[in-house]
Amino acid sequence: RTLFSIFAFQFEEDFIETKEDLEKLRNDGSLLFQQVPMVEMDGMKMVQTRAILSYIAAKHNLYGKDLKERAWIDMYVEGTTDLMGMIMYLPFQTAEVKEKNLALIIERAKNRYFPVYEKALKDHGHDYLVGNKLSWADIHLLEAILMAEECQADILSAFPLLQAFKGRISNIPTIKKFLQPGSQRKPPMDEKSVARVRAIFNF
């Protein structure tokens, strides 16, 4: 469902539909650590989400102008990654655990993560998190916001700068196109999707 990949380049998706699909990739050596995702580009078969996205960011000039900016981008991305990781595991949890963790996600988003990004935008007065230029951190934050809003629609109610940020980044032409109905962006997982993933990955 990643915004980042769509923004940076055009690509084709191949989905793992069965255990056999996964085993084929594992057996032909495509998966360095026997795990997906895997992206083929520039003559490489890249695995590990952070490594893939770091490469794309650097390739498309979305990774800051120097080491200091890159460090800030990395910190902001790690924060949104933590939040999104909590959200992504929700569909695979029992109803009781899901209810408890949903409340935790909303609490963490409002009190730990979103205040950091609201303050960053306020402190330097720019439209973007790092410097005054779009970076990987901005795209990752937008995706985290969209995922958090699926948990609670008004989760940004106390964060006016993040509300404005969401509007700006969502209106970048390539991102705007990606967010429209019928695009490659995947909807939240339903019960059928969860069952298929469990069957393929044995969990």
Side-chain angles (χ1 to χ4, degrees), residues 22-37:
L22 180 60
E23 287 307 311
K24 184 178 183 299
L25 287 173
R26 286 173 171 170
N27 292 335
D28 70 13
S30 295
L31 305 179
L32 188 63
F33 299 109
Q34 307 295 305
Q35 300 174 137
V36 290

Side-chain angles (χ1 to χ4, degrees), residues 75-95:
M75 286 189 282
Y76 289 139
V77 166
E78 290 293 343
T80 45
T81 298
D82 288 347
L83 178 59
M84 289 191 290
M86 296 172 68
I87 296 170
M88 286 189 288
Y89 280 110
L90 274 180
F92 301 97
Q93 298 167 350
T94 64

